[in-house]
Amino acid sequence: MKPSFEKLEHLLHGYKTESVALVARASEFAERAHEGQLRESGVSYFHHTFATALILAEWRMPPAIIAAGFLHDVPEDTKFSLGDIEKNFGKDIASIVEGETKLSSLKYRGRERYAENLRKMFFAIAKDLRVVIVKFADRIDNLKTLDIFPEEKRRRIALETLEIYAPIANRLGMGDAKGQLEDLAFPHVYPKEHEWLTKLIEGKLEEKSQRMEKVQRIARDELGRAKIQVVNLHGRTKRLYSLYRKLIKRDRDLSRVYDLIALRVIVKTTADCYAVLGVIHNRFKPLKGRIKDYIAQPKPNGYRSLHTTVFSDDGEIVEFQVRTEEMHEDAEYGVAAHWRYDEGRRSAAPSARQLKWMEELARIQKELHDREAFLETVDELKIDFFKNRIFIFTPKLRNHAFTLYNQAVHDRTGD
Ligand code: MN
């Protein structure tokens, strides 16, 4: 498989000439640096960095981030150093690449109770949200070539994705990244469940979307009559892993999941969102307790939309999700929406949500910094350190603690 330069070129359509030139220069540099290198999958190393950059271009990230995507494995895996990158691409891009290298030594070993610590460390090490964005693209591509690894390694990487990467993407409101990470990791962590679910929904999606066509047509007509400008009205299919999580909560009963496919209405203004809700409720009977106003009360990760579930004329249960274009972009890209390449709609000033995240990041970093001993551990990145040790701070309990310690070490070496 060859890298598709045409595709990249197409994605960079609308970028300034000098932006495209920067990306091209990073691509050439990475190709030269990784020349002749094959990954364990047998695919060229350059292909991986190309694929990473392509994902970043799909998210419409600025040229510096796409360039960093091309260069992210250079210092670690080639004869070129971070200094070389700085010389050729400047301090800013070099600092993103440095973050990637540092982050790559953070590994999750499958111990649930350390997951939150690791998520915090991930932030502390990344320092810059752009580093996190590039890391997500890198991980998404790595998950696509996981098959060649032995089962244990595959499982570890996929589990780390579900426990560390996806929750962080979720907290950053990056719905698209979270969804891709989860769906790619899912079959490796829960192969049997994945197979079960794939079989369960086989054919169901087609069937459901056909039954929803009529509702969609009626909704479109009604909204037209009400003179509401609809930017887009489409059916969206629930992501597989997210569906799996919901099914588990619903006793694995698919008929109790109402948003297998939902109808998404995108409009111009917040006032239009409420107007759409009015039109829908006037035409279709809403289900009790299923109206959710995430515009007035956004989810903790900033998600905004109106949700409602209604009965169609044929008794079909259909969920509607109503939002503005900006809310839609925020739901897909979260904090990364701020960096989306000049589309003329957003100002350069950070959004309220972006600021909230900068504050949160600063808070996490301060918290970790205050616990200096902990931070030294972060710096050394000897995460395994936690694995076989227990720390006891109470002198009085020393004897008892010693027993516990031995017991714990014994337990762990046993598993
Ligand atoms: Mn990589």
Side-chain angles (χ1 to χ4, degrees), residues 259-292:
D259 64 340
L260 178 62
I261 304 177
L263 286 180
R264 201 169 263 167
V265 189
I266 297 173
V267 290
K268 286 283 181 193
T269 66
T270 303
D272 282 349
C273 293
Y274 290 102
V276 169
L277 191 72
V279 169
I280 293 168
H281 285 176
N282 191 40
R283 178 62 180 74
F284 301 111
K285 191 179 160 55
L287 250 78
K288 232 181 177 169
R290 296 278 311 179
I291 305 161
K292 292 169 201 149

mmCIF file of all heavy atoms in Angstrom, residues 259-292:
data_model
loop_
_atom_site.group_PDB
_atom_site.id
_atom_site.type_symbol
_atom_site.label_atom_id
_atom_site.label_comp_id
_atom_site.label_asym_id
_atom_site.label_seq_id
_atom_site.Cartn_x
_atom_site.Cartn_y
_atom_site.Cartn_z
ATOM 1 N N ASP A 259 -31.373 4.712 20.220
ATOM 2 C CA ASP A 259 -30.591 5.548 19.301
ATOM 3 C C ASP A 259 -29.583 4.742 18.484
ATOM 4 O O ASP A 259 -28.519 5.230 18.155
ATOM 5 C CB ASP A 259 -29.880 6.675 20.064
ATOM 6 C CG ASP A 259 -28.849 6.146 21.042
ATOM 7 O OD1 ASP A 259 -28.928 4.955 21.413
ATOM 8 O OD2 ASP A 259 -27.960 6.926 21.437
ATOM 9 N N LEU A 260 -29.932 3.490 18.163
ATOM 10 C CA LEU A 260 -29.088 2.689 17.273
ATOM 11 C C LEU A 260 -28.805 3.524 16.025
ATOM 12 O O LEU A 260 -27.681 3.644 15.568
ATOM 13 C CB LEU A 260 -29.802 1.380 16.903
ATOM 14 C CG LEU A 260 -29.082 0.454 15.936
ATOM 15 C CD1 LEU A 260 -27.763 -0.031 16.510
ATOM 16 C CD2 LEU A 260 -29.958 -0.727 15.548
ATOM 17 N N ILE A 261 -29.885 4.089 15.488
ATOM 18 C CA ILE A 261 -29.739 5.148 14.491
ATOM 19 C C ILE A 261 -30.567 6.321 15.018
ATOM 20 O O ILE A 261 -31.699 6.131 15.432
ATOM 21 C CB ILE A 261 -30.282 4.743 13.108
ATOM 22 C CG1 ILE A 261 -29.609 3.460 12.631
ATOM 23 C CG2 ILE A 261 -30.043 5.860 12.105
ATOM 24 C CD1 ILE A 261 -30.141 2.945 11.308
ATOM 25 N N ALA A 262 -29.982 7.517 15.033
ATOM 26 C CA ALA A 262 -30.737 8.688 15.468
ATOM 27 C C ALA A 262 -30.825 9.661 14.307
ATOM 28 O O ALA A 262 -29.995 9.622 13.396
ATOM 29 C CB ALA A 262 -30.037 9.349 16.651
ATOM 30 N N LEU A 263 -31.839 10.499 14.329
ATOM 31 C CA LEU A 263 -31.940 11.532 13.297
ATOM 32 C C LEU A 263 -31.324 12.811 13.836
ATOM 33 O O LEU A 263 -31.684 13.283 14.916
ATOM 34 C CB LEU A 263 -33.397 11.769 12.902
ATOM 35 C CG LEU A 263 -34.009 10.666 12.033
ATOM 36 C CD1 LEU A 263 -35.464 11.001 11.704
ATOM 37 C CD2 LEU A 263 -33.217 10.483 10.740
ATOM 38 N N ARG A 264 -30.354 13.320 13.107
ATOM 39 C CA ARG A 264 -29.648 14.500 13.559
ATOM 40 C C ARG A 264 -30.075 15.703 12.721
ATOM 41 O O ARG A 264 -30.025 15.645 11.500
ATOM 42 C CB ARG A 264 -28.151 14.250 13.410
ATOM 43 C CG ARG A 264 -27.318 15.136 14.261
ATOM 44 C CD ARG A 264 -25.907 14.659 14.249
ATOM 45 N NE ARG A 264 -25.571 13.826 15.398
ATOM 46 C CZ ARG A 264 -24.466 13.101 15.462
ATOM 47 N NH1 ARG A 264 -23.640 13.047 14.442
ATOM 48 N NH2 ARG A 264 -24.197 12.404 16.537
ATOM 49 N N VAL A 265 -30.508 16.747 13.420
ATOM 50 C CA VAL A 265 -30.925 17.962 12.733
ATOM 51 C C VAL A 265 -29.945 19.071 13.081
ATOM 52 O O VAL A 265 -29.751 19.380 14.260
ATOM 53 C CB VAL A 265 -32.347 18.399 13.151
ATOM 54 C CG1 VAL A 265 -32.836 19.540 12.267
ATOM 55 C CG2 VAL A 265 -33.324 17.232 13.103
ATOM 56 N N ILE A 266 -29.310 19.637 12.060
ATOM 57 C CA ILE A 266 -28.360 20.716 12.302
ATOM 58 C C ILE A 266 -28.933 22.015 11.738
ATOM 59 O O ILE A 266 -29.354 22.068 10.584
ATOM 60 C CB ILE A 266 -26.979 20.385 11.695
ATOM 61 C CG1 ILE A 266 -26.443 19.142 12.413
ATOM 62 C CG2 ILE A 266 -26.005 21.553 11.848
ATOM 63 C CD1 ILE A 266 -25.188 18.567 11.851
ATOM 64 N N VAL A 267 -28.986 23.025 12.631
ATOM 65 C CA VAL A 267 -29.585 24.302 12.245
ATOM 66 C C VAL A 267 -28.632 25.456 12.529
ATOM 67 O O VAL A 267 -27.519 25.239 13.009
ATOM 68 C CB VAL A 267 -30.932 24.528 12.990
ATOM 69 C CG1 VAL A 267 -31.995 23.569 12.486
ATOM 70 C CG2 VAL A 267 -30.756 24.388 14.502
ATOM 71 N N LYS A 268 -29.085 26.670 12.217
ATOM 72 C CA LYS A 268 -28.207 27.841 12.303
ATOM 73 C C LYS A 268 -28.027 28.400 13.712
ATOM 74 O O LYS A 268 -26.940 28.802 14.087
ATOM 75 C CB LYS A 268 -28.745 28.950 11.383
ATOM 76 C CG LYS A 268 -28.513 28.686 9.911
ATOM 77 C CD LYS A 268 -27.062 28.963 9.533
ATOM 78 C CE LYS A 268 -26.808 28.723 8.050
ATOM 79 N NZ LYS A 268 -25.370 28.700 7.741
ATOM 80 N N THR A 269 -29.143 28.490 14.459
ATOM 81 C CA THR A 269 -29.049 29.179 15.753
ATOM 82 C C THR A 269 -29.616 28.323 16.892
ATOM 83 O O THR A 269 -30.357 27.364 16.655
ATOM 84 C CB THR A 269 -29.851 30.504 15.745
ATOM 85 O OG1 THR A 269 -31.249 30.169 15.616
ATOM 86 C CG2 THR A 269 -29.436 31.410 14.602
ATOM 87 N N THR A 270 -29.256 28.713 18.112
ATOM 88 C CA THR A 270 -29.766 28.015 19.287
ATOM 89 C C THR A 270 -31.298 28.131 19.352
ATOM 90 O O THR A 270 -31.982 27.154 19.665
ATOM 91 C CB THR A 270 -29.147 28.616 20.576
ATOM 92 O OG1 THR A 270 -27.722 28.515 20.457
ATOM 93 C CG2 THR A 270 -29.594 27.872 21.810
ATOM 94 N N ALA A 271 -31.801 29.318 19.016
ATOM 95 C CA ALA A 271 -33.261 29.504 19.027
ATOM 96 C C ALA A 271 -33.919 28.519 18.065
ATOM 97 O O ALA A 271 -34.971 27.940 18.365
ATOM 98 C CB ALA A 271 -33.601 30.946 18.639
ATOM 99 N N ASP A 272 -33.290 28.295 16.907
ATOM 100 C CA ASP A 272 -33.809 27.324 15.932
ATOM 101 C C ASP A 272 -33.840 25.906 16.519
ATOM 102 O O ASP A 272 -34.722 25.112 16.194
ATOM 103 C CB ASP A 272 -32.952 27.322 14.657
ATOM 104 C CG ASP A 272 -33.272 28.509 13.749
ATOM 105 O OD1 ASP A 272 -34.290 29.185 14.011
ATOM 106 O OD2 ASP A 272 -32.502 28.749 12.792
ATOM 107 N N CYS A 273 -32.868 25.574 17.367
ATOM 108 C CA CYS A 273 -32.843 24.238 17.986
ATOM 109 C C CYS A 273 -34.145 24.006 18.754
ATOM 110 O O CYS A 273 -34.787 22.962 18.609
ATOM 111 C CB CYS A 273 -31.668 24.097 18.950
ATOM 112 S SG CYS A 273 -30.053 24.115 18.162
ATOM 113 N N TYR A 274 -34.527 25.009 19.564
ATOM 114 C CA TYR A 274 -35.754 24.873 20.358
ATOM 115 C C TYR A 274 -36.992 24.880 19.465
ATOM 116 O O TYR A 274 -37.964 24.183 19.726
ATOM 117 C CB TYR A 274 -35.827 25.976 21.418
ATOM 118 C CG TYR A 274 -34.795 25.789 22.510
ATOM 119 C CD1 TYR A 274 -33.625 26.537 22.543
ATOM 120 C CD2 TYR A 274 -34.979 24.820 23.509
ATOM 121 C CE1 TYR A 274 -32.663 26.354 23.523
ATOM 122 C CE2 TYR A 274 -34.015 24.626 24.495
ATOM 123 C CZ TYR A 274 -32.863 25.390 24.505
ATOM 124 O OH TYR A 274 -31.929 25.200 25.462
ATOM 125 N N ALA A 275 -36.915 25.666 18.377
ATOM 126 C CA ALA A 275 -38.035 25.694 17.434
ATOM 127 C C ALA A 275 -38.219 24.318 16.797
ATOM 128 O O ALA A 275 -39.343 23.830 16.647
ATOM 129 C CB ALA A 275 -37.788 26.763 16.375
ATOM 130 N N VAL A 276 -37.109 23.662 16.443
ATOM 131 C CA VAL A 276 -37.162 22.320 15.850
ATOM 132 C C VAL A 276 -37.818 21.348 16.827
ATOM 133 O O VAL A 276 -38.689 20.552 16.464
ATOM 134 C CB VAL A 276 -35.741 21.821 15.468
ATOM 135 C CG1 VAL A 276 -35.761 20.338 15.110
ATOM 136 C CG2 VAL A 276 -35.176 22.638 14.310
ATOM 137 N N LEU A 277 -37.410 21.444 18.098
ATOM 138 C CA LEU A 277 -37.981 20.566 19.123
ATOM 139 C C LEU A 277 -39.500 20.741 19.183
ATOM 140 O O LEU A 277 -40.249 19.760 19.253
ATOM 141 C CB LEU A 277 -37.348 20.891 20.484
ATOM 142 C CG LEU A 277 -37.628 19.896 21.615
ATOM 143 C CD1 LEU A 277 -36.849 18.599 21.358
ATOM 144 C CD2 LEU A 277 -37.228 20.478 22.963
ATOM 145 N N GLY A 278 -39.937 22.013 19.105
ATOM 146 C CA GLY A 278 -41.368 22.305 19.134
ATOM 147 C C GLY A 278 -42.093 21.656 17.958
ATOM 148 O O GLY A 278 -43.139 21.028 18.127
ATOM 149 N N VAL A 279 -41.522 21.806 16.764
ATOM 150 C CA VAL A 279 -42.131 21.248 15.557
ATOM 151 C C VAL A 279 -42.218 19.718 15.661
ATOM 152 O O VAL A 279 -43.255 19.121 15.341
ATOM 153 C CB VAL A 279 -41.320 21.666 14.299
ATOM 154 C CG1 VAL A 279 -41.776 20.887 13.073
ATOM 155 C CG2 VAL A 279 -41.440 23.171 14.066
ATOM 156 N N ILE A 280 -41.157 19.092 16.128
ATOM 157 C CA ILE A 280 -41.132 17.620 16.235
ATOM 158 C C ILE A 280 -42.185 17.136 17.238
ATOM 159 O O ILE A 280 -42.947 16.211 16.961
ATOM 160 C CB ILE A 280 -39.723 17.119 16.630
ATOM 161 C CG1 ILE A 280 -38.738 17.393 15.500
ATOM 162 C CG2 ILE A 280 -39.742 15.618 16.942
ATOM 163 C CD1 ILE A 280 -37.294 17.213 15.890
ATOM 164 N N HIS A 281 -42.240 17.807 18.385
ATOM 165 C CA HIS A 281 -43.202 17.391 19.417
ATOM 166 C C HIS A 281 -44.650 17.661 19.012
ATOM 167 O O HIS A 281 -45.569 17.014 19.485
ATOM 168 C CB HIS A 281 -42.881 18.083 20.754
ATOM 169 C CG HIS A 281 -41.696 17.484 21.437
ATOM 170 N ND1 HIS A 281 -41.175 17.980 22.593
ATOM 171 C CD2 HIS A 281 -40.930 16.420 21.111
ATOM 172 C CE1 HIS A 281 -40.123 17.259 22.957
ATOM 173 N NE2 HIS A 281 -39.959 16.303 22.071
ATOM 174 N N ASN A 282 -44.813 18.647 18.154
ATOM 175 C CA ASN A 282 -46.153 18.960 17.672
ATOM 176 C C ASN A 282 -46.651 17.880 16.713
ATOM 177 O O ASN A 282 -47.843 17.622 16.605
ATOM 178 C CB ASN A 282 -46.120 20.330 16.972
ATOM 179 C CG ASN A 282 -47.510 20.852 16.688
ATOM 180 O OD1 ASN A 282 -48.402 20.707 17.529
ATOM 181 N ND2 ASN A 282 -47.700 21.416 15.521
ATOM 182 N N ARG A 283 -45.704 17.236 16.034
ATOM 183 C CA ARG A 283 -46.074 16.260 15.013
ATOM 184 C C ARG A 283 -46.023 14.815 15.554
ATOM 185 O O ARG A 283 -46.874 13.999 15.248
ATOM 186 C CB ARG A 283 -45.123 16.412 13.818
ATOM 187 C CG ARG A 283 -45.344 15.428 12.677
ATOM 188 C CD ARG A 283 -46.740 15.611 12.070
ATOM 189 N NE ARG A 283 -46.974 14.679 10.972
ATOM 190 C CZ ARG A 283 -47.203 13.377 11.123
ATOM 191 N NH1 ARG A 283 -47.224 12.849 12.335
ATOM 192 N NH2 ARG A 283 -47.416 12.614 10.075
ATOM 193 N N PHE A 284 -45.011 14.531 16.365
ATOM 194 C CA PHE A 284 -44.848 13.185 16.919
ATOM 195 C C PHE A 284 -44.943 13.226 18.445
ATOM 196 O O PHE A 284 -44.449 14.149 19.077
ATOM 197 C CB PHE A 284 -43.479 12.594 16.544
ATOM 198 C CG PHE A 284 -43.233 12.498 15.065
ATOM 199 C CD1 PHE A 284 -42.288 13.311 14.447
ATOM 200 C CD2 PHE A 284 -43.928 11.583 14.290
ATOM 201 C CE1 PHE A 284 -42.042 13.223 13.081
ATOM 202 C CE2 PHE A 284 -43.694 11.477 12.917
ATOM 203 C CZ PHE A 284 -42.745 12.303 12.315
ATOM 204 N N LYS A 285 -45.512 12.175 19.002
ATOM 205 C CA LYS A 285 -45.663 12.136 20.458
ATOM 206 C C LYS A 285 -44.330 11.752 21.117
ATOM 207 O O LYS A 285 -43.770 10.705 20.817
ATOM 208 C CB LYS A 285 -46.715 11.091 20.803
ATOM 209 C CG LYS A 285 -47.165 11.130 22.252
ATOM 210 C CD LYS A 285 -48.245 10.059 22.460
ATOM 211 C CE LYS A 285 -48.434 9.676 23.904
ATOM 212 N NZ LYS A 285 -48.716 10.783 24.801
ATOM 213 N N PRO A 286 -43.833 12.636 22.002
ATOM 214 C CA PRO A 286 -42.552 12.312 22.644
ATOM 215 C C PRO A 286 -42.700 11.269 23.758
ATOM 216 O O PRO A 286 -43.746 11.185 24.392
ATOM 217 C CB PRO A 286 -42.099 13.649 23.231
ATOM 218 C CG PRO A 286 -43.325 14.470 23.363
ATOM 219 C CD PRO A 286 -44.331 13.966 22.369
ATOM 220 N N LEU A 287 -41.662 10.492 23.955
ATOM 221 C CA LEU A 287 -41.634 9.536 25.068
ATOM 222 C C LEU A 287 -41.373 10.302 26.362
ATOM 223 O O LEU A 287 -40.536 11.197 26.388
ATOM 224 C CB LEU A 287 -40.489 8.544 24.862
ATOM 225 C CG LEU A 287 -40.835 7.113 24.530
ATOM 226 C CD1 LEU A 287 -41.205 7.037 23.049
ATOM 227 C CD2 LEU A 287 -39.653 6.198 24.805
ATOM 228 N N LYS A 288 -42.056 9.876 27.393
ATOM 229 C CA LYS A 288 -41.890 10.531 28.697
ATOM 230 C C LYS A 288 -40.444 10.387 29.205
ATOM 231 O O LYS A 288 -39.851 9.323 29.066
ATOM 232 C CB LYS A 288 -42.810 9.840 29.705
ATOM 233 C CG LYS A 288 -43.696 10.807 30.449
ATOM 234 C CD LYS A 288 -44.550 10.045 31.427
ATOM 235 C CE LYS A 288 -45.402 10.976 32.239
ATOM 236 N NZ LYS A 288 -46.402 10.217 32.982
ATOM 237 N N GLY A 289 -39.929 11.483 29.766
ATOM 238 C CA GLY A 289 -38.618 11.417 30.416
ATOM 239 C C GLY A 289 -37.442 11.266 29.470
ATOM 240 O O GLY A 289 -36.339 10.954 29.891
ATOM 241 N N ARG A 290 -37.678 11.463 28.180
ATOM 242 C CA ARG A 290 -36.598 11.272 27.216
ATOM 243 C C ARG A 290 -36.173 12.580 26.565
ATOM 244 O O ARG A 290 -35.459 12.584 25.581
ATOM 245 C CB ARG A 290 -37.030 10.275 26.130
ATOM 246 C CG ARG A 290 -37.289 8.871 26.637
ATOM 247 C CD ARG A 290 -36.034 8.066 26.781
ATOM 248 N NE ARG A 290 -35.219 8.143 25.579
ATOM 249 C CZ ARG A 290 -34.049 7.546 25.444
ATOM 250 N NH1 ARG A 290 -33.557 6.834 26.437
ATOM 251 N NH2 ARG A 290 -33.362 7.674 24.325
ATOM 252 N N ILE A 291 -36.676 13.711 27.103
ATOM 253 C CA ILE A 291 -36.292 15.001 26.533
ATOM 254 C C ILE A 291 -35.098 15.516 27.334
ATOM 255 O O ILE A 291 -35.191 15.691 28.545
ATOM 256 C CB ILE A 291 -37.463 16.008 26.617
ATOM 257 C CG1 ILE A 291 -38.706 15.403 25.955
ATOM 258 C CG2 ILE A 291 -37.081 17.328 25.974
ATOM 259 C CD1 ILE A 291 -40.003 16.079 26.364
ATOM 260 N N LYS A 292 -33.981 15.699 26.635
ATOM 261 C CA LYS A 292 -32.780 16.155 27.337
ATOM 262 C C LYS A 292 -32.264 17.439 26.732
ATOM 263 O O LYS A 292 -32.009 17.496 25.543
ATOM 264 C CB LYS A 292 -31.695 15.081 27.279
ATOM 265 C CG LYS A 292 -32.061 13.855 28.094
ATOM 266 C CD LYS A 292 -31.125 12.718 27.804
ATOM 267 C CE LYS A 292 -31.765 11.394 28.196
ATOM 268 N NZ LYS A 292 -31.289 10.309 27.337
#
